[in-house]
Amino acid sequence: MQTDVGSKKPLTAAQQAAKEPFLPLMRELARAYQAFCSYDEENIRHLGLTGPQFDVIATLGNTSGMMMGQLAEKTLVTKGTLTGIVDRLEQKGLVRREVPPNNRRCFKIVLTPEGEKLFEEVFPAHINRLKERFSQLSETEIQQITAALRRIREIF
């Protein structure tokens, strides 16, 4: 059992938990994600879109459309949440639902011409904005960070 350095009293379970060596990693991971989201969403908001809406537009770009399940998997959004996002994008005239002739029980989500135009205008600019930041990392650093994040994902 660990003891408090100054008083030699046994540490409580909460005090012991607070000393876990992976906690600084969790904090940095969360802070990195928050910093990225803040930077990323600042650029997206001026388009009149939310982050998840932009993610759907970016994911559908350069494709002939996707089924809801595939789109949910690629955007990391649940199908239930995705339905609302697609509804709002449809109201904005950026996507449409198509019923495939071979499976009338599901929908394929497709960018409209307006959605394609938006994608062609904003996606390259958005990627260039992100590139400004990520170019501060070497290719080796990008590979190492990618591998470390993949490893973290795998343990969960």
Side-chain angles (χ1 to χ4, degrees):
M1 176 172 286
Q2 291 183 339
T3 58
D4 186 15
V5 176
S7 70
K8 305 226 185 216
K9 290 182 185 176
L11 294 178
T12 66
Q15 289 170 325
Q16 287 179 9
K19 293 184 178 287
E20 287 294 337
F22 64 85
L23 290 178
L25 168 64
M26 285 179 24
R27 284 186 195 100
E28 283 306 316
L29 187 59
R31 287 180 182 141
Y33 179 72
Q34 289 170 340
F36 171 79
C37 287
S38 176
Y39 181 79
D40 193 50
E41 288 177 8
E42 174 189 323
N43 192 38
I44 292 167
R45 286 269 176 216
H46 86 275
L47 302 171
L49 299 172
T50 64
Q53 288 172 348
F54 181 82
D55 193 13
V56 168
I57 298 288
T59 302
L60 289 173
N62 294 326
T63 74
S64 60
M66 293 183 191
M67 304 305 266
M68 285 288 276
Q70 183 184 17
L71 187 57
E73 186 178 304
K74 292 209 179 261
T75 58
L76 304 177
V77 174
T78 65
K79 283 187 193 179
T81 302
L82 185 59
T83 299
I85 294 167
V86 169
D87 287 346
R88 287 183 282 289
L89 288 172
E90 200 170 33
Q91 290 168 357
K92 293 179 181 202
L94 300 173
V95 301
R96 70 175 179 275
R97 289 175 168 89
E98 291 181 355
V99 179
N102 58 342
N103 188 351
R104 298 181 114 10
R105 293 176 293 146
C106 58
F107 295 102
K108 183 177 183 181
I109 309 304
V110 179
L111 288 178
T112 63
E114 295 82 12
E116 285 283 351
K117 182 178 180 217
L118 179 67
F119 172 75
E120 289 294 333
E121 290 174 5
V122 302
F123 186 70
H126 187 71
I127 294 301
N128 283 333
R129 179 175 156 86
L130 293 174
K131 186 178 177 180
E132 289 174 15
R133 296 301 171 108
F134 282 105
S135 67
Q136 297 175 41
L137 299 171
S138 71
E139 197 170 313
T140 300
E141 287 174 312
I142 289 173
Q143 290 171 356
Q144 290 170 338
I145 293 166
T146 301
L149 290 172
R150 185 177 299 117
R151 178 69 180 117
I152 289 171
R153 180 174 43 88
E154 288 170 356
I155 65 174
F156 290 98

